[in-house]
């Protein structure tokens, strides 16, 4: 199972034009980082999974990343009670926005997405449902969330606000776009 998963990850990275050096470093450090980080933050991951039980999500890519995210926030000394301005590029069904607003209790977030999916979503998801799932999943945070429908290039062209405390990038997965 692990070998198949690694092959799928490798195919995905190659399809996204990821430089070979980054692919090599990813696989070199993957298991060492995972074991240490996961043990420390497993309860945070379990807590998040309980919190999202009623959300409309077609796929949960985020839960396994939560230990890494919280570990990174801790290493950077980002207090989860601090008022933060967050930019999220790539919101899909709102799962990561839900996590960030739930974790950072005083944060606001600007979500940028086309809500049309990308190459890896074609044929796998009901793309007509993605945006309404986002709206439904994030409605409890309406006063702290702002949506921009379009790609990040258009967002930066049209948006005057260019300073954020935290930027979460999970839009296009082509390395040149990122």
């Amino acid at each position: 199972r692990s070998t198949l998963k690694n092959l799928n990850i490798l195919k995905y990275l190659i399809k996204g034009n990821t430089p070979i050096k980054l692919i090599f470093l990813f696989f070199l450090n993957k298991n060492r980082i995972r074991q240490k980080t996961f043990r420390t933050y497993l309860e945070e991951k379990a807590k998040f999974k309980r919190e999202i039980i009623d959300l409309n999500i077609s796929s949960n890519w985020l839960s396994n990343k939560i230990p890494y995210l919280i570990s990174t926030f801790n290493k950077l000394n980002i207090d989860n009670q601090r008022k933060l301005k967050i930019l999220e590029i790539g919101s899909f069904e709102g799962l990561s926005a839900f996590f960030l607003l739930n974790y950072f209790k005083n944060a606001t977030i600007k979500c940028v997405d086309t809500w049309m999916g990308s190459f890896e979503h074609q044929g796998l998801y009901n793309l007509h449902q993605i945006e309404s799932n986002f709206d439904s999943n994030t409605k409890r945070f309406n006063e702290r969330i702002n949506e921009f429908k379009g790609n990040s290039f258009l967002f930066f062209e049209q948006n005057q606000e260019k300073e954020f405390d935290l930027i979460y990038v999970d839009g296009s997965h082509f390395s040149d776009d990122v």
Side-chain angles (χ1 to χ4, degrees), residues 85-87 108-110 146 155-156 158-164:
K85 286 176 28 182
I86 300 173
L87 172 64
T108 58
I109 191 167
K110 187 162 288 214
N146 188 309
F155 169 78
F156 286 114
Q158 295 181 1
N159 197 326
Q160 299 301 313
E161 188 177 16
K162 302 227 189 294
E163 291 187 23
F164 297 90

Side-chain angles (χ1 to χ4, degrees), residues 2-15:
S2 180
T3 303
L4 181 60
K5 185 175 181 181
N6 284 336
L7 282 174
N8 287 334
I9 291 170
L10 180 61
K11 283 193 291 189
Y12 179 77
L13 292 171
I14 290 170
K15 194 171 186 178

Side-chain angles (χ1 to χ4, degrees), residues 145-157:
I145 196 166
N146 188 309
E147 299 172 37
F148 179 90
K149 189 169 186 173
N151 65 37
S152 57
F153 297 110
L154 188 60
F155 169 78
F156 286 114
E157 266 181 26

